[in-house]
Amino acid sequence: METRKLGTTDLDVSVLCLGTMMYGDQIKEADAIAQMDVSIDRGINFFDTAELYTVPPKPPTQGESERIIGRWMKTRANRHKVILATKVTGRSPMNWFREGGVPTRLSREHILFAVERSLKNLQTDYIDLYQLHWPDRKVGVFGASFSGYDHYDDDYISYEETLSTLNDLVKAGKVRHVGLSNETPYGTMQFLKLAEQKDWPRMQSIQNVYNFMSREFDLGLAEIAFEEKVGLLAYSPMAQGVLSGKYLGGSKPAGSRGAVFGRLERYQTPAAERAIRAYVALAEELGVDPSALANQFVTTRKFLTSNIFGARGMDQLETVFQSLEIKWTDDIEKRVTQIHREAPNPCP
C-alpha cells in the first residue's frame, strides 16, 4: 500500500483511507469490525470519522461511528497502528450535538466540548487529525454552489477564535494535527496566513468532494494543495455510488444505499446521466469495473494525499483494492479529460 505524507507532518498515511460515515446504521457493527480488520491487514493505516456520523445524521445514532471504532481499537489493542482522523461539526441548525439544544458553531466552547466527547467515544487520549467539518461562514457546500456566490455574512465565528482553540488542543496533546473540510480557497488561505502570523497549527489537509462528476477542486484548491502542502483528502470518489452505473435510468437496486436511504439528489442533475454513461462505457471498453476506474482516477491525482472510500460490503471493499491494480496511462487520462470537457462538473 502506497503512503504519502500528511501535509508537512512526519505522518505517512495510506493512499486509501477507510471512510466510516455509514458505521452504526447502514453498516452494522459486526460488518464494520470485519472491514476494519481487513483494511489493516491490507495496509490501510488511515481511518476517517466525525462526531456527526453515522449518516444520515440523527440524534439516536450521532457519534456511533466513533464509538464503534473506539470499541474495535480497544478490543484489538491496536491504537498505535491507526492514524485517526475525526471532525467537529460546522455551523448548522442541528440542535442535538451540544448541551442545551443549541445549533452547532465553531466557537471555542463548542470545539472543546466536541473534542472531549470524541476522545471519549474513540477511547483514546489523542486524535491524529482533527478537522473542521465545514465552515462557520455561510458558503456554498455539499452541492449548493449552483446559484453562485450569494453568501455574504459577517455573523460567523472568527478564524482567530477557531484556530486559537485548536492551538490550545495541540499544546495540550489532545490533537496532533489539524485540517479543513468542505472549505473554499479563500478560507484555506486565511487559516494558513493566520497560522504563520501567530505561530499556530498549520492546516495539514483539506477534505473535500472529488470525483468524475465534481472536480471544482481543480479550479483553485488544487494549486493550494500542491504548493502549500495542504493535500486533498478526497471524499465521495464514487459520487455516492452513482459512478458504478447502478442508478442509471432511474434504477434503484434493492438494498442499495439509494434505495434504502435516498439522499442522491446531489448526483441527479440534468447533465449527470450523460456523464455517468460515458464514464461507465469507458470502463467497459477498458475491461475494468466502473467503480474501480472512478477510484483510481482520484487516487492518481498529484495533489491527493489520501482517497477516502466507503464500502457497504466486502465485495465493494475488494473492488476498491482492485482499483490500485489499474495502470493509469496517458491514454486513459486523455479519454477522461475528453468526457470531462463535454460534461464539466455536472454535480458540484
Side-chain angles (χ1 to χ4, degrees):
M1 178 70 63
E2 178 188 353
T3 60
R4 298 177 185 177
K5 287 292 182 185
L6 177 67
T8 61
T9 77
D10 60 356
L11 295 181
D12 295 306
V13 299
S14 51
V15 74
L16 293 179
C17 175
L18 180 63
T20 66
M21 78 173 188
M22 294 184 286
Y23 288 6
D25 193 346
Q26 299 177 62
I27 298 175
K28 302 307 179 185
E29 185 160 356
D31 295 326
I33 289 171
Q35 277 194 13
M36 290 187 282
D37 285 342
V38 169
S39 294
I40 286 288
D41 289 344
R42 298 287 288 269
I44 291 176
N45 68 356
F46 196 21
F47 289 15
D48 179 74
T49 185
E51 67 161 339
L52 176 79
Y53 299 159
T54 187
V55 170
K58 50 192 174 185
T61 54
Q62 183 269 316
E64 188 60 16
S65 171
E66 290 184 329
R67 289 188 288 272
I68 288 172
I69 295 171
R71 290 192 287 267
W72 173 78
M73 289 193 300
K74 183 177 182 180
T75 300
R76 299 289 189 264
N78 65 356
R79 174 69 182 90
H80 62 288
K81 294 183 179 181
V82 180
I83 297 174
L84 192 57
T86 192
K87 313 177 198 73
V88 55
T89 302
R91 178 180 182 175
S92 83
M94 294 182 287
N95 62 2
W96 60 85
F97 284 86
R98 305 289 176 253
E99 292 180 329
V102 297
T104 56
R105 301 297 299 266
L106 291 179
S107 66
R108 180 177 182 83
E109 178 184 6
H110 284 221
I111 292 172
L112 294 180
F113 176 86
V115 78
E116 292 296 337
R117 186 172 57 186
S118 287
L119 289 167
K120 180 179 179 181
N121 286 345
L122 293 162
Q123 301 191 51
T124 184
D125 56 4
Y126 70 96
I127 295 164
D128 295 293
L129 179 65
Y130 198 51
Q131 304 155 102
L132 308 178
H133 205 154
W134 61 86
D136 200 85
R137 311 179 320 279
K138 291 182 179 178
V139 295
V141 293
F142 305 118
S145 62
F146 281 116
S147 59
Y149 184 75
D150 187 22
H151 302 278
Y152 296 99
D153 172 33
D154 58 5
D155 175 28
Y156 61 87
I157 304 300
S158 69
Y159 296 96
E160 289 84 353
E161 179 175 346
T162 298
L163 193 56
S164 67
T165 305
L166 296 177
N167 177 56
D168 290 344
L169 291 173
V170 171
K171 285 185 175 181
K174 296 180 179 182
V175 169
R176 296 180 69 187
H177 304 290
V178 296
L180 299 168
S181 183
N182 297 294
E183 187 53 273
T184 67
Y186 176 79
T188 303
M189 292 307 298
Q190 288 296 105
F191 276 112
L192 290 176
K193 180 174 67 174
L194 187 61
E196 184 175 356
Q197 290 173 345
K198 301 284 189 177
D199 194 26
W200 288 344
R202 195 175 191 276
M203 294 299 177
Q204 300 292 350
S205 58
I206 178 166
Q207 184 177 149
N208 278 29
V209 64
Y210 193 82
N211 54 56
F212 279 146
M213 310 296 285
S214 181
R215 294 178 56 177
E216 288 189 323
F217 196 91
D218 290 335
L219 304 178
L221 280 164
E223 185 175 16
I224 295 172
F226 190 81
E227 297 294 343
E228 297 289 342
K229 294 182 171 57
V230 185
L232 172 64
L233 308 180
Y235 75 78
S236 201
M238 282 293 302
Q240 296 179 359
V242 303
L243 288 168
S244 68
K246 63 186 176 185
Y247 298 119
L248 285 171
S251 177
K252 286 189 178 180
S256 68
R257 176 179 169 182
V260 177
F261 292 95
R263 296 172 64 90
L264 295 176
E265 293 83 3
R266 185 170 186 171
Y267 296 102
Q268 292 180 328
T269 65
E273 181 97 353
R274 180 165 61 93
I276 295 167
R277 288 189 181 279
Y279 290 118
V280 170
L282 174 60
E284 291 174 348
E285 183 181 336
L286 295 171
V288 300
D289 189 292
S291 300
L293 184 71
N295 268 289
Q296 187 67 337
F297 163 72
V298 174
T299 303
T300 54
R301 300 307 93 185
K302 293 181 179 179
F303 47 78
L304 180 100
T305 296
S306 193
N307 178 0
I308 305 173
F309 68 91
R312 295 195 69 210
M314 285 300 178
D315 56 338
Q316 292 184 2
L317 184 61
E318 186 57 37
T319 299
V320 174
F321 287 120
Q322 289 174 359
S323 72
L324 298 176
E325 301 172 8
I326 298 175
K327 183 180 180 181
W328 200 264
T329 65
D330 290 342
D331 180 65
I332 295 177
E333 185 72 25
K334 289 178 182 177
R335 300 286 296 279
V336 165
T337 299
Q338 184 58 41
I339 296 171
H340 178 61
R341 284 175 176 169
E342 295 173 359
N345 296 323
C347 307

